[in-house]
Each structure stands twice: as C-alpha cells, then as structure tokens.
Amino acid sequence: MPGKLKVRILAARDLPVMDRASDLADAFVEVRFGQATEKTEVFRKSLNPQWNADWFKFEVDDEELQDEPLQIRVLDYDTYSAHDTIGKVYIDLNSLLWKDGVSEISGWMPIFDTMHGIRGEIKVMVRVELIEDANQFRQSSCGVHFFSSSRVPSCYTVQAIHGFVEELVVNNDPEYQWIDMIRTPRASNEARQRLFSKLSGELQRKIGLKVLEVEGNAVIGYWQCFDMEGESGVVVRGIGTAATLKKTAAFSPPKDVAKDVNLLFDDSADASTQVSPVNSRQPPSPSKQLPQSQQQSDPDLDASGVLGSSGGSGGLTQRAKTPKLMLGQKIAMMEYPFFTITTFPPNFLEKLGGAVTARSVKLLDRIHNPDESETRDVWWTEIRTEIRAHASAMGCNAVVGYKETTSIFDEICLLSATGTAAIVSVTGVKETAQTQQIVLTKSLDRMEFQKEQAATPPLTESLDVPVSGSDASQCRLCHIPYNDSALPFPVTLATCNLCRKWKVPDVLFTTIEPPEELVYTGRGCCVQARICKMKKRAQGEINAALISDALPFIEFELHRQLMNRLKVKGMNALFGLRVIITVGENVLVGNAIATAVYVSGMPPPSTLKITSKDTTDKGERNLKWLQQKLVDTTARNRDLYDLNSQVNSSVESESTSHGSLEEVHEPQLSAGHTDTYVIELDDLEDQKAISDMLEPGLPQGFYSCSTDKLPGNVQMAHHLQMVTMMRRQNLSDANTKNLNNTFGEMVQSLCFKLRTNTPCCLCKLSWDLFLTEDNIAYVWLTAAALHVKENEKSPLTGSPEPEMMFPIEEVTDSKKAKPPSPLDKRMFYKRESFWTPPVQITPLSYIPGAVVEKYLGNINIFFVRECTSVKESGGVGGFLHNFVTEVNAIARSHVLSLGGNALLAYNMVDFVLMDNPHKNQCQGLINVFGDAVFVDYKGLTDMSR
C-alpha cells in the first residue's frame, strides 16, 4: 500500500541561546524519514523563528510508515564548524493510518535533547495519504488498532475475540557498540532513542499482521516492554488480545435489544438465519442491569454478524460450512487460551479459579545467537506452557488478566508470567445461544500444540444444564471450578452464602478487576506485602541456582503476608493482584499489592490465632496482649469497612449435594488440607510482621486500591490528578522493615499533599522498584487521585485518629456562630469546583464523570536522558523529577496534536537508571504508552455538585 507523507514546518519558540555574541540563534530544521532528508532555510538571529515552509513530500511504503518514526531535528547554523544540535522531535505515524482515525497531526511539539531536556517548541503539520492496495503478500498491518486499555473501548462493540497474540524483536544495543574512547553521550543516546522508536513500530506491525491473519482489526490490553540485556542486545516484547471491533455512534445505545454481552459462542444456526423474536427468550441488556453512570458502563457487544473465523477463513458462506464445535473444544483448540483483558463484560467469565504464576531464571551469556529471537521464544514458550498447565490443574480452560514481566541484572534474567485461571464459557446457557453470532477463533502458531492436542482429550465440556435466575449470576463466579474431592491446592471450602448450594473457597486471589456480577459487602481497601532476602554474591550458573532456590520462599512469604493481612481486614478476596520480584547483586526484593474486598457469597474469614513456644509468664502475657490487639483490630476494621452486617448473617459451611446441577471439572492433581490461620511466634521477625498488621491505615478521608475503581458502596466523582513519586533506599542490609517504612512514608507524604481534596481515593496504586549494582533501590509510586462522592446511607470514614496523650476539651462559645462571610463562600465554592487540565493523564481506563467520544491512537514513546552535572541539578532526585516532568509534557503535546484532551491507561515502564556519583553523571531511560482520546466533560459539573 504505497503512500505519501507530507510535512510542513511552521515556526518555533523559546529556543535556547546558541550564539553567545548575540544571545540569539540561527535555527533551521532537518526533516528526515527513512533515508530521505529535507531542510528548511536558516532563520537568522531569532529565538522564535517563523519558517512557514512549503510542504515536504516523501514517497514511502506503508510498511515503512509503520516502522520508521518521523524525525524533526532543530539545529543552529555555524559557518566554519559543525552545526550545533538544539534538539529532536520523534512522531509516530501509526495514528494516521487508521481508516476512521485523525487526518493530520498538528500542533506545538517540545524539542527534546537527550543532554539538556526540553529546549523550546516547534509547530509542525503532518499528513499521510494512503493508496488502497489489495496485495495479499504485503508486510504492513495498516488499520489495526492498538489499545493499552485492558477493557473493551467504550466507543466500540466487540464482534469477535480471537485470542492471545505476542511477538518479540531483537536488536543490538547501540550503547554497547561504541569504543569508550570515541563514544559521545549525545550520539549514543540519540542512536538508542532512534532505534527503540523503530523497534516499537516494527513490533506493532508484526503483531498487527498476526491479527489480520485471523481477520481481526484491534489489539486490546496491549502491553509492551523493553528488556535491556546489556551486551546481548535489547529485546522488545508485546502481548495483547486480538479482537474484531466495530465503531459505534457517539452517545447512542445499541438499537437491538438482542445484542447481549454473551461472547464466543458458535451457535448451531446458519449465520444468515434470523432469529424470530417470538421464539427467542432474551435477557435484558446489561446496560439496564448496571448503574447508569457514564464512566462505569461497559459497552454492549454487537452481534450483528460474524467477522472472526478460525484458520483464516472468512465470510458468512464459509462460516456456515464450518462444523459445529462445543465451547470446551474450541477453548482447547487454542494454543495459549490467554486474555490480557482485566475488565470483562457481564457473562464473559463463568468461574474464577485463582491466581497462577510461573517464573524462570535464565542466563543471558548462554544465548548462542544474541541477534536471533529463537532462544527468547523458547524461554517464553516454556513459561506459557507452565501457566496453561496450572490453569488446567485447577479445572479451568483459560487464563485472564495475563501479563508477562522480566527483571534483568547483569547476566541474570528472571522471566515472570501471572494471570487468573478461569472458565471462559461466555455463553452460559443455551437459551441465549440462539441469538448469538459471535465466535471465538483459535490462536496462532499452533504446529507443536496440535500434536499435543491430538493425543490429549479436551479438558472441559460444554454446559448441558442452564442455571437461571439473578442469584446464580451474582455468585457463580466465586464457585469452585474443580471437584472438592481432589483439590488442586490447600483450600478450605464452604457453602455459598447466596445460593446455599454450591461450594466456594474461603479466599480468592485474582489479577483482574472486580467483576460487576459479584455482590460485595462494604467497601474494599488496598493490602500490600513485601520481603527483602539476602543472597550470596555469585556468578553464572551458581548465581542462577541461588535465585531459583530462593523464589519459592519469597512467593510463600508474600502469600502468607497477604493472607494474614486479608484476614485482619475482615475480607475474603483479592483483586488486581500484582506481584513483582526484583533481582539485585546480593538481594532479592518481592513486592505484592492488591485490592481486598468482601465477596458476599464467600464465607467470612476467621480471626487469626497466635501461638508461641515461649512458656514463661512474660511470654504468655505478651501473647495474650498481641492476641487481644489482633482481635480488636479485626473488629475495628469490620466496622470501618461496613462488614458486620454480612458477617453476622453468614451461615456455616455445609457439604455439597451430590445431585447438584452445576458442573464441576476434575483437576489434574490433588493436595491435602493444611491450617493457614495460625501464626507462630518463633523469632523477632514474626513479631514485626504482627506489628505491621496492627499499624493504622491511611489518614481519615483517604482510601486506596490497586484497581481502576474502589469496590463497594462508593462512587467516584471526578479525576483530580495523576501522581508520581520516587524515593531512594539503601538495601545493603536487606531489611524488610526499612523498605516498609519507605513505602509507608511515601503514601503518608502523598496524603499530606492531597489533604485539601478529601475525601480522596488513590486508585490504580502501583509500585515499581529498580535496583542498582550497589543495592540502592529506587522506588516509584504511581496512582490516580479521584474525588469520592459521599454516600448518605454509608458515610465514608477513614482510619480512626490515633489516641492522644492528653485529652483535649472542646471549647464552645456561648455566642452564636457568625454566618459565613462572602469570602468564605467564595473559598468554599472554589474548593468544591475543580480545574480540568488541557490534557488529563491517568493510569485508569476511564475518567469518572466523562464520556470518551473518540479514540485517536496509541501513544508510545521511548526517552533517553543523560546529565553530566547531577549535583548542580539537585542530585539524582532532582534529575529524575525534571526527567519525568519533561516526559509527561511531551506526552501531553502528542495528545494535543492528535486533537485529544486525555491520555488513558498511562503506563511508565522500563525505567532504567545508571548513576555514577564519582563522575557526577546520571542516565535514565523511560518508556511511556497510553491511549490518546477525546472526552466530554459536560456531565462533571452536576456530579461535583
């Protein structure tokens, strides 16, 4: 598909002084795309030049448009020496390749220099004209949409979900291709930034080709990572969920009531056959079942036709000739039944099994061909196969909320994959199956898996008996997917508190957002767990063996802390679970964060019991005091989170009837029961762990969660701001308490800065940790501060105030209080109103109170920044603060140039910091991506009032 790229340079402003004699600059612009270069005229003696140049035109191929970024370089003209570089601008052109996308990129772009940061702005206009080409051998994937959001975009409806797609690209790192004597910082940094931008475009193009092979047009839940492997090169990885989306009209609900949210069903009727409304019994639209808040409503799924098919066959005629497959067989056909989505429409999930994890330690120096991707593909194939086996062992046929991460230090590479085992049978009942036209197609690259599948019978079967009624849908997700006679892991079962028929576990860990179908009691809160573990200094296989041996203990300790904190909170389920293990030179750090909730169908947690081997009087007194303190804290938390009503009405567990109608799948392994409710005090570390559980939570008026929304009886009013914070901590002694104090101080400091915005909730709270060679940890906090709307029936109250040393008597004035002055009224009105920035950046997939009118494209930028005067810039902290501020400013400018006013699903990943205090140098690398959108805020004023 050939095309024409047109670029126009208009003006620049606020350029730095380049000529010391005149305190001005002689600026000109160099526009480069691929191997072609164009230049503007030199604008003499001005810091605000006005070029108004004619259009520069480039004849390019669509494959080149996806791979290559547009480079705009601003230079200062010198007559007798080389031209001085002022800065560069990289523009990704993929947003212009959508059929329903924007027509041009126009606006002021910050000029970024890898050594000095932002150095002015330049105004450009970019357009792309594509010529339709039906060549089936083309290597481009123009038209495939990439969404970083882990939910179905609100402007689209789903017509087919095709499964898991992945790809990785390997290349040499320019930083390690230089000889130290001739390496220049700017040249090396610009070479890396240019290469990483190109690799990112090439990766999306290759993933888009896989999506087009299955006749899809979008990737949902797209996640991209850069693995800096040092001398082995750089690996760019991308995963997502391929789907076929259809754009809907703005602000118009689906006209056909039969467009239910059930997905992935292969009905027996011909695709062209219409279902008579008399004979079809259809459930109401989910938009009528859920609250009608604009920011919380998921789009209904369109069932107008089948656009997805297996094996690359498309069209209604071919679809009718395809033999009917049962749902379990179709899931089993997929090589990797993984979904990177975390928020699902109603009835997509049938049952949740629990979190599954797989980790593996690899040596980078054992890669035979660093320039090839075969070795890394084999590594990730092993991880994905293990994850699939874990899900099968739990009686599940899919993994949802799937994510892959790495931790690299020297020659060690720790691969991690996490997700939630679940049964995906989004049809549920055969009554609604007749109205569905949406199918689930198979995955890609299945040659090896087909051999294995031919010898293995399908794990699951389709449901033969429907479960009707609203009560069944409210608790079905928490029912166990395995047989209670052969448990896949130690778990205590009980009878469901809602339906009083099926078995449910005593606790549930998941990596997805809280489903709307489940019934919750009270409101949720954030729970965290951390551990630092020392290891010996070693190299090669010995070092890899030490890390591999330590991983199970770290996982177990994190699980134990989460379980204990969950019970102290009085809750029974975790959502949005995120576990990260970071590798250092002689320390391993594990960090886990999740949102605790009380699922009404599951049993209440029992109070933790403490035992000790110390039989002395002092030991027994200390034990009784700790036990009573633990009981009081648990009771106070139940009052705080409004859980007492459900706890008092809960019933004891009963044995499941053998004649139950609900199908239970047999797992592939069994395990016994163990008691997980007793804490034994063996040493000082156990006492510290209990003390951490007894510490008070957030200040009054503040709430936190690791998910997009705070579960429970709360309502998000509007988006205040996105917050980021960094702290530096020495972990030479591997003290977990010091690390916990650092995390706690960061949250308390953040709450202090947001104290005037209460009640406030920190949503999508996440932590990232980077370790240097001298065991210095850089801790990153990211969250979205949302204003919470008070609920009259259940007023929001924060943690109780700590007891004071001396009582404070309330002083009352006999005189009548003065009425508020006009100044007070103006101050109150100002505090109640809020300011909306030109571009709202948020890690959430939505903005409370706003409606997404249009998705404009995926923003994906890689930044390299180096400083040779760190002390003069305020130290490492000042350098990082300026760097992150510049990154966010550039991201905002790209959104504005597309005509947007918000950046959703914002992620700042692949943070790498190289600090050399002896040379006063510091280098940072950051990759940011998100969805540029245009949102309508017209409903926010009423909500805030």
Side-chain angles (χ1 to χ4, degrees):
M1 185 185 297
K4 181 182 295 185
L5 172 64
K6 299 193 298 183
V7 183
R8 188 183 182 190
I9 307 299
L10 299 178
R13 61 188 181 189
D14 300 332
L15 297 181
V17 174
M18 304 300 295
D19 187 359
R20 297 300 178 185
S22 60
D23 290 339
L24 297 172
D26 301 327
F28 71 98
V29 179
E30 180 182 274
V31 181
R32 181 177 181 180
F33 187 80
Q35 302 300 324
T37 304
E38 299 286 351
K39 296 181 181 180
T40 65
E41 296 181 354
V42 179
F43 199 93
R44 303 276 183 177
K45 308 299 182 181
S46 177
L47 299 180
N48 300 285
Q50 302 287 331
W51 291 288
N52 292 321
D54 294 333
W55 289 94
F56 298 130
K57 299 179 181 179
F58 303 87
E59 301 290 339
V60 295
D61 191 11
D62 52 354
E63 179 182 354
E64 193 176 10
L65 284 172
Q66 290 187 281
D67 290 356
E68 292 284 347
L70 175 64
Q71 304 176 45
I72 300 176
R73 188 181 183 186
V74 184
L75 301 99
D76 178 69
Y77 181 82
D78 288 332
T79 306
Y80 302 105
S81 61
H83 306 312
D84 297 328
T85 300
I86 298 178
K88 299 185 71 174
V89 176
Y90 291 89
I91 300 179
D92 185 12
L93 302 176
N94 282 279
S95 301
L96 299 176
L97 306 181
W98 294 8
K99 291 183 179 180
D100 55 348
V102 295
S103 59
E104 70 174 15
I105 297 176
S106 177
W108 290 94
M109 299 282 193
I111 304 172
F112 181 76
D113 180 57
T114 59
M115 300 301 298
H116 299 93
I118 294 180
R119 310 182 78 186
E121 294 177 298
I122 184 171
K123 189 175 184 180
V124 299
M125 295 178 63
V126 182
R127 295 177 182 176
V128 173
E129 297 178 359
L130 291 178
I131 301 175
E132 294 292 339
D133 186 6
N135 182 11
Q136 59 179 340
F137 300 104
R138 63 190 180 98
Q139 295 298 315
S140 69
S141 57
C142 294
V144 176
H145 299 201
F146 284 81
F147 299 95
S148 300
S149 175
S150 58
R151 63 170 61 193
V152 178
S154 58
C155 297
Y156 295 85
T157 56
V158 175
Q159 293 186 307
I161 292 185
H162 307 278
F164 180 71
V165 289
E166 54 81 24
E167 187 59 72
L168 62 86
V169 179
V170 183
N171 205 306
N172 294 324
D173 193 344
E175 182 71 17
Y176 296 89
Q177 304 300 318
W178 295 85
I179 302 176
D180 293 339
M181 295 181 60
I182 61 175
R183 182 224 181 234
T184 59
R186 178 178 281 108
S188 176
N189 295 337
E190 289 184 357
R192 297 182 86 183
Q193 193 162 321
R194 181 170 58 251
L195 174 65
F196 295 160
S197 299
K198 182 177 180 179
L199 292 178
S200 177
E202 180 182 354
L203 178 71
Q204 289 193 9
R205 178 178 60 83
K206 291 184 176 181
I207 292 180
L209 288 174
K210 291 187 174 183
V211 175
L212 292 177
E213 288 180 5
V214 293
E215 299 184 359
N217 62 3
V219 177
I220 309 175
Y222 180 68
W223 180 263
Q224 176 182 292
C225 292
F226 285 82
D227 297 336
M228 306 296 175
E229 298 182 353
E231 296 181 357
S232 300
V234 57
V235 179
V236 189
R237 298 179 293 105
I239 60 175
T241 302
T244 300
L245 302 182
K246 180 181 179 182
K247 188 173 179 59
T248 58
F251 305 103
S252 61
K255 298 179 181 180
D256 188 4
V257 183
K259 296 177 181 178
D260 193 27
V261 294
N262 293 331
L263 286 176
L264 322 179
F265 192 84
D266 185 7
D267 61 2
S268 58
D270 187 89
S272 60
T273 303
Q274 298 182 355
V275 181
S276 173
V278 178
N279 299 328
S280 61
R281 298 178 57 188
Q282 304 162 359
S285 174
S287 60
K288 298 181 180 180
Q289 298 175 357
L290 301 179
Q292 295 296 326
S293 58
Q294 294 173 331
Q295 75 277 13
Q296 295 181 356
S297 60
D298 286 327
D300 289 348
L301 298 172
D302 188 12
S304 58
V306 177
L307 296 186
S309 60
S310 59
S313 61
L316 298 180
T317 305
Q318 296 179 359
R319 166 69 175 81
K321 297 179 181 180
T322 303
K324 182 179 182 299
L325 298 176
M326 303 304 291
L327 177 62
Q329 295 173 344
K330 294 181 65 176
I331 292 291
M333 283 181 60
M334 299 180 64
E335 181 184 10
Y336 301 118
F338 302 158
F339 299 90
T340 57
I341 312 174
T342 58
T343 301
F344 302 90
N347 299 330
F348 185 93
L349 299 175
E350 187 172 308
K351 291 182 182 178
L352 295 175
V356 289
T357 304
R359 304 186 192 275
S360 178
V361 181
K362 302 296 182 181
L363 289 173
L364 298 176
D365 54 3
R366 297 301 176 90
I367 301 177
H368 299 292
N369 297 318
D371 298 338
E372 302 295 333
S373 60
E374 284 77 7
T375 303
R376 284 88 166 185
D377 286 329
V378 172
W379 290 354
W380 287 110
T381 299
E382 295 174 356
I383 294 290
R384 294 162 187 156
T385 303
E386 184 177 351
I387 285 285
R388 188 184 62 199
H390 291 333
S392 299
M394 301 178 67
C396 299
N397 57 7
V399 178
V400 296
Y402 180 75
K403 182 173 288 188
E404 297 175 349
T405 58
T406 59
S407 177
I408 300 176
F409 189 87
D410 287 341
E411 77 279 7
I412 295 296
C413 180
L414 174 60
L415 310 180
S416 303
T418 57
T420 301
I423 295 182
V424 179
S425 170
V426 235
T427 56
V429 297
K430 287 188 175 181
E431 294 179 359
T432 59
Q434 298 177 355
T435 63
Q436 302 307 310
Q437 306 287 340
I438 303 171
V439 299
L440 174 66
T441 60
K442 63 182 181 181
S443 173
L444 308 173
D445 302 332
R446 304 178 55 254
M447 296 182 62
E448 296 182 359
F449 180 72
Q450 286 178 348
K451 299 178 181 179
E452 177 185 351
Q453 183 63 25
T456 305
L459 176 66
T460 59
E461 300 288 342
S462 63
L463 293 177
D464 294 330
V465 181
V467 179
S468 59
S470 58
D471 294 340
S473 61
Q474 291 178 352
C475 63
R476 187 181 182 88
L477 282 179
C478 60
H479 295 170
I480 59 173
Y482 39 81
N483 198 320
D484 56 353
S485 61
L487 301 177
F489 54 89
V491 61
T492 303
L493 301 181
T495 305
C496 179
N497 290 333
L498 296 181
C499 64
R500 307 296 176 89
K501 293 181 180 180
W502 320 114
K503 288 287 188 179
V504 295
D506 62 331
V507 66
L508 180 64
F509 286 11
T510 68
T511 59
I512 63 175
E513 296 285 326
E516 297 286 349
E517 298 94 325
L518 287 177
V519 178
Y520 307 100
T521 300
R523 68 172 183 278
C525 67
C526 186
V527 294
Q528 306 178 49
R530 299 175 194 92
I531 180 176
C532 293
K533 187 176 181 61
M534 293 291 296
K535 74 175 185 67
K536 297 180 180 180
R537 297 178 183 268
Q539 297 292 331
E541 292 184 357
I542 299 178
N543 191 20
L546 292 175
I547 297 175
S548 298
D549 295 339
L551 288 179
F553 297 96
I554 295 178
E555 293 271 8
F556 174 79
E557 178 62 23
L558 292 175
H559 181 273
R560 186 179 69 89
Q561 292 185 25
L562 289 175
M563 184 73 75
N564 294 337
R565 284 175 169 79
L566 187 65
K567 295 184 180 301
V568 171
K569 295 291 185 181
M571 303 182 188
N572 54 18
L574 292 180
F575 290 95
L577 176 62
R578 185 168 181 254
V579 180
I580 297 178
I581 298 180
T582 308
V583 180
E585 186 174 4
N586 64 334
V587 65
L588 298 175
V589 179
N591 180 40
I593 185 171
T595 299
V597 298
Y598 190 105
V599 179
S600 303
M602 297 171 58
S606 59
T607 305
L608 290 174
K609 297 181 181 179
I610 306 176
T611 61
S612 176
K613 296 181 180 179
D614 188 0
T615 58
T616 62
D617 294 341
K618 182 178 179 180
E620 291 181 356
R621 288 196 301 269
N622 185 35
L623 181 64
K624 291 182 180 179
W625 180 83
L626 286 176
Q627 182 66 54
Q628 186 60 39
K629 195 75 173 176
L630 199 61
V631 172
D632 296 341
T633 303
T634 304
R636 185 170 62 250
N637 288 333
R638 289 173 178 171
D639 291 335
L640 178 64
Y641 301 112
D642 300 331
L643 305 177
N644 283 328
S645 59
Q646 180 67 23
V647 173
N648 296 333
S649 62
S650 62
V651 296
E652 297 181 356
S653 301
E654 298 178 355
S655 59
T656 306
S657 173
H658 295 286
S660 62
L661 297 178
E662 185 173 0
E663 180 187 5
V664 180
H665 303 290
E666 290 284 351
Q668 297 177 353
L669 54 89
S670 60
H673 296 270
T674 58
D675 193 359
T676 59
Y677 303 101
V678 179
I679 301 178
E680 187 174 355
L681 296 179
D682 292 335
D683 50 19
L684 186 61
E685 293 294 331
D686 294 333
Q687 295 184 7
K688 292 180 180 179
I690 296 179
S691 300
D692 293 339
M693 291 187 291
L694 300 178
E695 291 181 356
L698 297 178
Q700 185 175 1
F702 285 94
Y703 319 96
S704 63
C705 62
S706 63
T707 54
D708 281 355
K709 303 172 186 176
L710 181 64
N713 49 7
V714 293
Q715 181 181 359
M716 305 302 171
H718 62 265
H719 191 283
L720 297 175
Q721 67 180 75
M722 184 191 71
V723 292
T724 57
M725 185 177 295
M726 188 277 295
R727 287 291 175 87
R728 186 172 182 266
Q729 175 67 38
N730 192 341
L731 297 180
S732 299
D733 54 351
N735 193 330
T736 304
K737 183 177 180 181
N738 293 339
L739 187 62
N740 287 332
N741 293 338
T742 301
F743 280 71
E745 290 173 359
M746 294 178 66
V747 175
Q748 295 294 333
S749 175
L750 182 59
C751 293
F752 178 78
K753 295 178 180 179
L754 296 173
R755 64 189 182 278
T756 59
N757 297 312
T758 57
C760 176
C761 179
L762 301 177
C763 292
K764 208 66 177 183
L765 181 64
S766 63
W767 301 94
D768 290 291
L769 190 140
F770 175 76
L771 289 175
T772 61
E773 295 181 356
D774 50 355
N775 291 330
I776 300 298
Y778 291 93
V779 183
W780 282 92
L781 178 151
T782 306
L786 304 183
H787 180 69
V788 179
K789 190 175 181 180
E790 301 261 356
N791 191 345
E792 298 180 358
K793 296 183 179 180
S794 179
L796 300 179
T797 57
S799 300
E801 294 289 343
E803 297 181 359
M804 297 186 178
M805 184 177 298
F806 303 100
I808 298 180
E809 297 180 359
E810 183 179 1
V811 179
T812 59
D813 192 358
S814 58
K815 297 181 180 180
K816 193 173 182 180
K818 295 182 178 180
S821 63
L823 178 61
D824 295 335
K825 292 182 179 180
R826 288 197 297 269
M827 293 176 62
F828 180 79
Y829 175 77
K830 184 177 181 180
R831 184 170 63 252
E832 284 295 320
S833 62
F834 59 92
W835 172 74
T836 302
V839 176
Q840 187 78 265
I841 298 181
T842 176
L844 307 178
S845 300
Y846 71 102
I847 294 181
V851 178
V852 178
E853 288 189 347
K854 187 176 183 180
Y855 279 81
L856 304 173
N858 186 262
I859 303 296
N860 195 331
I861 316 174
F862 195 96
F863 297 91
V864 181
R865 180 78 159 85
E866 187 170 350
C867 182
T868 56
S869 56
V870 178
K871 294 181 181 179
E872 293 77 5
S873 301
V876 178
F879 166 76
L880 291 177
H881 174 76
N882 294 334
F883 187 21
V884 173
T885 303
E886 292 170 346
V887 167
N888 291 337
I890 296 175
R892 286 188 175 94
S893 68
H894 281 262
V895 175
L896 282 175
S897 65
L898 292 172
N901 58 1
L903 185 61
L904 305 183
Y906 176 83
N907 288 278
M908 182 181 295
V909 296
D910 300 313
F911 167 74
V912 179
L913 182 67
M914 288 165 281
D915 181 20
N916 192 345
H918 303 290
K919 296 183 179 181
N920 200 21
Q921 295 178 352
C922 188
Q923 185 185 42
L925 296 85
I926 293 179
N927 175 224
V928 298
F929 58 88
D931 296 328
V933 299
F934 180 81
V935 299
D936 183 19
Y937 291 98
K938 65 181 182 180
L940 273 176
T941 305
D942 298 335
M943 290 191 63
S944 63
R945 293 178 180 176

